[in-house]
Amino acid sequence: MSPWYTAHMPAKRSLPIELQQRDYNLLMGLHECKAMTLAHVTRLYFGGKSEAAKKRVQKLKRAKLEGEFLRRRGDPSILRCGKLGATALEVSGQLPMNHFPRSKRVLQDTGKSSTMLNHDLAVTDIRVGFHA
């Protein structure tokens, strides 16, 4: 386990919510894709049930396991894996052995350029298309 993760997640600390396997899958998807909208999350992890997806995403955001990129008023919410979410994946052993952890700056970077963000969302669109 990398020292960065252990420094940010004390051994005795428990998560504010109990994570289900679907939550780990969602966090891993956010970690891999870097950005997803609620519509992406709904189709990939909740079988099209938007109300269930919305409520669970709110709980995960409240627990600081995932976050949002900065956005303008009226733009859809764009989700990302938060520091605590990446730590939860690491601690639970959900990340592959050959995975290189993202730097602290990358995990905190909420002001991504619109070009990169659009690219990440387009890649996620393709992933959703393959899933359907």
Side-chain angles (χ1 to χ4, degrees):
M1 188 178 325
S2 84
W4 182 84
Y5 286 122
T6 51
H8 285 81
M9 187 160 197
K12 300 276 186 212
R13 182 177 173 184
S14 63
L15 294 170
I17 62 171
E18 188 174 332
L19 294 177
Q20 305 164 3
Q21 186 58 45
R22 179 176 55 196
D23 298 329
Y24 286 115
N25 294 342
L26 169 56
L27 290 171
M28 189 64 189
L30 285 169
H31 194 70
E32 289 171 347
C33 291
K34 300 179 195 135
M36 287 188 190
T37 63
L38 186 58
H40 292 139
V41 170
T42 301
R43 289 193 59 198
L44 287 171
Y45 303 103
F46 291 88
K49 298 176 182 164
S50 60
E51 198 59 37
K54 185 171 119 179
K55 288 180 181 180
R56 194 63 185 175
V57 164
Q58 284 174 347
K59 285 182 182 181
L60 292 172
K61 282 198 295 193
R62 216 174 299 125
K64 298 192 184 326
L65 290 162
E66 57 184 50
E68 287 184 338
F69 286 101
L70 297 176
R71 61 190 172 125
R72 291 177 289 207
R73 180 181 281 174
D75 285 351
S77 172
I78 300 173
L79 306 169
R80 63 180 175 79
C81 185
K83 282 191 304 185
L84 191 56
T87 304
L89 287 170
E90 176 81 15
V91 169
S92 69
Q94 300 281 331
L95 287 176
M97 293 287 266
N98 61 354
H99 175 76
F100 293 102
R102 293 199 181 134
S103 70
K104 184 177 179 181
R105 188 187 73 66
V106 169
L107 288 171
Q108 289 177 336
D109 184 18
T110 57
K112 218 173 196 188
S113 77
S114 62
T115 306
M116 269 316 283
L117 201 51
N118 288 337
H119 168 77
D120 291 342
L121 290 173
V123 169
T124 306
D125 284 338
I126 294 168
R127 184 177 185 165
V128 169
F130 281 122
H131 185 267

